[in-house]
Amino acid sequence: MMNRNISRRTVLKGLGGVAIGLPLLEEMMATPALAAAQSEVPVRAFNVFFGLGIPAPLQTEGFDGVLEPLKPLSKKLLIMRNVDQVRCDESGINAHFDGASGAFTAEPPSGEAKAGGPSIDQVIRKTYYPDGLPAGTVPTLVGGTFFRRSRVSRYVHSYNSDGTVAATMQEKPRDVFDRVFGSLAGQVEDTDVRKQRLRRSVLDSVVDQYQFYTGVNSPLGASSKARVADHLDRIREFEQRAFEMKHDAKGPELPPRSKIAHGGSADPGGEGLDMPLENLVTEWRLMADLYALAIQLDRVRFGSLTFLAAGERLRVTGDYEYDGRKVFTFDDAKQLNASGSSGCSHEWWHKFTEKKTNEQLRAHAHMKMREVAYFLSRLDGQDSLEANGKTILENSMITVSTESGDGRHSDVKRELSGVFHAITGANGRFKTGQILDVNAEGIDVYNTMLDAFETKDRLGPAKRETNRIDKIRA
């Protein structure tokens, strides 16, 4: 049979109703030269934030302590200890805010709604895509599951050059799905179209075209037809999970609201929320799955993902298990013998001391690492392999960080020193497979990371001399 070549643009136009990504198909490679161009690994940078931090003394235990969930990914991570973010201190404001604003920017905040400068992902985006990303790509995706809202930098971790947020926060899985896959082409702001979208599956708009590309008259070969069919099934699965749709003869029902609090009700006067661990993990993992899927389908290349805001206040309950064993039973309010904000997991960080076992804090920090590892692992399987033989996790620059290296508010220098950082290899740019004491300022670590991408811009004052941290470079 004669091979027929077909461009990605042609297929996407055929499916033009909805902007949903397609896998790379063999028929999209017309010549060896074009195939090589199509298979180039894109530049990507994402910031992953988790709240409250990991006290620096616990980081010294390596994978024998709270970092244990990261061990399966250890060869693909560079874990950096003794990163100093003291320059991010804003007088009169505690490190929950300062440290969170400094994460990925190395700058103190600029008011309650701005960071002091750009985040590393946006510096890279500006360098590599000065005229915008490819058509159909979300410029920046900011999402997360969080429960403190008093200041933007508690939960947003992607910033433009002027310190403004790089994209609207998507805090519900259904909103992430709509942002990435559910915008009707050319009519995103149309209220009637939006209402129509809520009454049907986004894939209903393109099912006829998909049937053509998987049918007997399709210009695609058997393997590509199978990939398109699998792609359709995968998007449908995630949509149903995000919207909890039940398909019947009358079509899908209107999607219900998320089962956990969002918006103002997620931070009732800063007094905290009761949160079963199961509910928290269910919501987060769907968010992480959707974000990872968006990356796998090349719908997004830059942005941030947050698991619990800076200074989060939750009264968590439930059994916590890891690797088939029960680690701890959470019951924060009862174990703290307090109510309201005083009964939240937040308080274990304020109570931290090297002379105690810190059992509750350890369990919470271990759980946070389990959930961060869950997201990272979603980008490291067979469905994330790229043309160069590496996974998306290995090819991307994914930076993991937090707000604090201590948690107590008694010493700013201690609180903003020793802030946990981990980065992926960024397609061979960084020395993964080690835990490294960098003993350096965050601004120098970040600017060294930017040097590896040969970016035009740097973080911090223009006249400040950069102290390059060469030992993190491959």
Side-chain angles (χ1 to χ4, degrees):
M1 184 180 73
M2 181 182 298
N3 290 330
R4 298 182 62 183
N5 296 318
I6 185 169
S7 72
R8 185 180 181 89
R9 181 182 298 274
T10 298
V11 178
L12 290 174
K13 287 179 70 176
L15 299 174
V18 181
I20 49 179
L22 275 176
L24 184 66
L25 305 176
E26 295 170 0
E27 288 79 5
M28 295 175 186
M29 300 180 183
T31 67
L34 178 58
Q38 290 274 18
S39 63
E40 286 181 0
V41 174
V43 172
R44 307 184 189 92
F46 300 98
N47 306 325
V48 177
F49 181 91
F50 63 94
L52 292 177
I54 298 176
L58 301 189
Q59 296 176 40
T60 64
E61 299 169 1
F63 299 120
D64 294 327
V66 300
L67 301 183
E68 180 190 11
L70 297 179
K71 187 174 182 178
L73 298 168
S74 60
K75 292 182 179 180
K76 299 179 181 181
L77 293 175
L78 167 59
I79 293 176
M80 296 182 285
R81 300 186 299 208
N82 293 318
V83 176
D84 178 1
Q85 294 277 50
V86 174
R87 72 184 312 275
C88 299
D89 176 50
E90 184 85 2
S91 180
I93 303 175
N94 67 49
H96 293 311
F97 180 31
D98 297 346
S101 184
F104 318 110
T105 70
E107 291 281 14
S110 178
E112 296 193 357
K114 291 176 64 178
S119 54
I120 49 180
D121 63 309
Q122 293 302 311
V123 174
I124 295 172
R125 182 176 78 95
K126 182 179 176 183
T127 296
Y128 283 84
Y129 303 98
D131 300 320
L133 278 88
T137 305
V138 177
T140 297
L141 182 61
V142 176
T145 299
F146 58 95
F147 305 95
R148 289 302 300 277
R149 312 181 67 86
S150 60
R151 295 180 173 96
V152 168
S153 67
R154 284 189 184 272
Y155 51 91
V156 173
H157 299 286
S158 185
Y159 298 98
N160 295 315
S161 298
D162 62 357
T164 57
V165 297
T168 301
M169 165 62 78
Q170 311 293 323
E171 61 179 289
K172 301 177 185 177
R174 54 186 272 187
D175 292 340
V176 171
F177 187 94
D178 263 348
R179 176 78 174 112
V180 175
F181 304 110
S183 58
L184 299 181
Q187 306 177 73
V188 178
E189 303 300 327
D190 191 315
T191 303
D192 291 335
V193 171
R194 171 70 176 170
K195 290 179 179 178
Q196 181 183 9
R197 163 67 186 86
L198 292 175
R199 288 177 170 82
R200 63 187 295 181
S201 164
V202 62
L203 295 179
D204 291 343
S205 306
V206 297
V207 70
D208 290 341
Q209 294 97 324
Y210 264 113
Q211 287 175 345
F212 167 73
Y213 279 106
T214 57
V216 294
N217 296 320
S218 171
L220 305 178
S223 61
S224 291
K225 285 196 288 186
R227 292 189 70 190
V228 170
D230 288 344
H231 177 72
L232 174 64
D233 290 342
R234 194 176 186 203
I235 300 292
R236 177 78 75 182
E237 172 200 345
F238 277 96
E239 183 180 38
Q240 289 177 347
R241 286 176 61 193
F243 287 79
E244 296 183 359
M245 291 179 173
K246 297 180 180 178
H247 291 267
D248 54 27
K250 298 179 182 179
E253 299 174 358
L254 284 173
R257 295 186 180 277
S258 174
K259 292 182 179 179
I260 64 175
H262 294 281
S265 60
D267 188 19
E271 286 302 302
L273 285 172
D274 295 306
M275 181 63 62
L277 179 63
E278 180 182 4
N279 290 3
L280 173 63
V281 171
T282 297
E283 181 103 350
W284 159 256
R285 292 198 172 188
L286 177 52
M287 180 73 74
D289 286 344
L290 287 167
Y291 204 110
L293 181 65
I295 298 171
Q296 289 169 339
L297 297 179
D298 200 25
R299 291 286 289 123
V300 62
R301 298 180 182 180
F302 300 93
S304 66
L305 183 63
T306 296
F307 177 58
L308 299 178
E312 56 93 347
R313 283 180 176 164
L314 295 177
R315 293 177 292 274
V316 181
T317 57
D319 290 340
Y320 169 53
E321 297 183 353
Y322 176 75
D323 197 24
R325 73 178 192 273
K326 182 178 175 180
V327 176
F328 193 72
T329 296
F330 292 121
D331 194 346
D332 288 320
K334 183 177 180 180
Q335 290 157 355
L336 285 162
N337 192 27
S339 60
S341 60
S342 297
C344 293
S345 56
H346 183 125
E347 297 304 304
W348 302 122
W349 271 257
H350 292 326
K351 294 176 179 291
F352 171 74
T353 174
E354 295 91 330
K355 297 179 181 180
K356 294 183 179 180
T357 59
N358 304 291
E359 183 181 19
Q360 296 88 348
L361 185 155
R362 285 176 177 275
H364 278 282
H366 191 283
M367 180 268 292
K368 291 171 193 282
M369 291 299 94
R370 184 190 72 167
E371 298 311 310
V372 168
Y374 176 84
F375 169 68
L376 298 178
S377 67
R378 299 297 289 169
L379 300 173
D380 197 43
Q382 287 295 314
D383 54 357
S384 293
L385 281 174
E386 301 200 274
N388 64 353
K390 299 179 182 179
T391 64
I392 291 174
L393 183 72
E394 295 170 293
N395 284 327
S396 306
M397 188 182 85
I398 301 178
T399 309
V400 182
S401 192
T402 183
E403 70 209 60
S404 173
D406 187 286
R408 292 168 284 182
H409 293 334
S410 56
D411 187 328
V412 168
K413 290 185 178 180
R414 180 179 60 197
E415 193 167 18
L416 288 176
S417 297
V419 179
F420 176 85
H421 281 76
I423 57 174
T424 52
N427 200 3
R429 290 176 173 88
F430 305 117
K431 237 178 237 181
T432 56
Q434 60 178 329
I435 298 177
L436 186 65
D437 287 310
V438 294
N439 300 309
E441 287 193 61
I443 189 171
D444 292 320
V445 172
Y446 293 167
N447 279 328
T448 300
M449 292 162 62
L450 294 177
D451 282 342
F453 282 86
E454 300 180 339
T455 62
K456 298 177 181 178
D457 298 324
R458 294 290 182 273
L459 303 183
K463 295 182 179 180
R464 182 184 183 277
E465 182 179 352
T466 297
N467 300 308
R468 289 175 174 78
I469 316 300
D470 292 332
K471 57 187 174 181
I472 74 173
R473 294 282 302 271

